[in-house]
Amino acid sequence: INDSEGHPSSSHQTLKGTSKWATSLENLLEDPEGVKRFRSSLQQNINKSENIATANNSLSKYVLLQMQEKAKEIYMTFLSSKASSQVNVEGQSRLNETILETPHPLMFQKLQDQIFNLMKYDSYSRFLKSDIFLNHKKSEEQEENSPEAQTAAKRASRIYNT
């Protein structure tokens, strides 16, 4: 399907890069470059709490002994009162090291969900306004509007329409 100028209709083009990232946090997290830029933005804002979500995802892949070690690592890094990158989540004050005695793959799921929601409704919206995102978007737009890109698009359009 083409528009009036013979170009593919925008409703059938797939979003990519910053355009896709801007549609949802889930789309952003599916793109390795988006994750890299988002993480960089979070680090600039000194907001390390989102890292627990990544750490917890790998927890379910460990056998019991390894799970205990990984659970302790997550607890000591993010949840302990002495944690190096302590997160502030609801119910954290009730957590103590006794939870590490009987670990299970979903032991941090509630906390992970809280952090994901914080990312989705706070960090993600800040990321979309950040210099990192806006500069990357601008460079993408400049690439798309460059004479080389337009020439390539016209060639592709001619090939596609014949």
Side-chain angles (χ1 to χ4, degrees):
I1 298 177
N2 297 323
D3 63 16
S4 61
E5 296 177 15
H7 301 286
S9 170
S10 61
S11 63
H12 294 329
Q13 293 175 347
T14 57
L15 295 176
K16 60 183 177 180
T18 55
S19 298
K20 187 172 182 179
W21 303 348
T23 60
S24 72
L25 176 60
E26 291 81 358
N27 284 340
L28 171 69
L29 296 176
E30 288 174 2
D31 184 335
E33 182 66 22
V35 170
K36 177 181 158 188
R37 305 261 178 185
F38 186 52
R39 181 173 287 144
S40 178
S41 173
L42 292 172
Q43 288 171 344
Q44 282 185 353
N45 291 317
I46 313 170
N47 190 355
K48 298 177 182 175
S49 63
E50 289 80 1
N51 292 331
I52 193 173
T54 304
N56 190 45
N57 282 336
S58 65
L59 186 61
S60 61
K61 298 175 184 164
Y62 289 85
V63 293
L64 182 61
L65 183 57
Q66 291 171 320
M67 193 181 305
Q68 285 175 323
E69 291 171 9
K70 189 66 176 177
K72 184 174 182 176
E73 177 186 334
I74 291 170
Y75 179 81
M76 297 307 288
T77 303
F78 301 107
L79 303 172
S80 164
S81 60
K82 300 172 188 169
S84 58
S85 298
Q86 186 179 28
V87 295
N88 186 16
V89 289
E90 185 180 323
Q92 179 181 4
S93 60
R94 293 188 299 262
L95 293 176
N96 60 48
E97 288 189 54
T98 59
I99 66 167
L100 303 175
E101 294 171 8
T102 55
H104 56 86
L106 302 176
M107 65 190 289
F108 299 123
Q109 187 65 47
K110 184 176 180 182
L111 299 174
Q112 182 178 351
D113 292 345
Q114 284 181 31
I115 291 167
F116 183 83
N117 283 329
L118 284 172
M119 283 182 3
K120 187 172 188 170
Y121 298 109
D122 181 43
S123 304
Y124 173 64
S125 61
R126 282 187 284 123
F127 171 71
L128 294 178
K129 297 171 189 168
S130 73
D131 288 340
I132 290 173
F133 176 80
L134 296 173
N135 290 338
H136 189 70
K137 182 177 180 179
K138 184 177 180 181
S139 68
E140 276 184 353
E141 290 168 351
Q142 287 173 343
E143 282 180 24
E144 289 174 5
N145 294 328
S146 72
E148 297 85 23
Q150 290 177 356
T151 303
K154 286 179 183 176
R155 281 195 309 267
S157 177
R158 282 194 298 257
I159 293 168
Y160 180 74
N161 290 324
T162 52

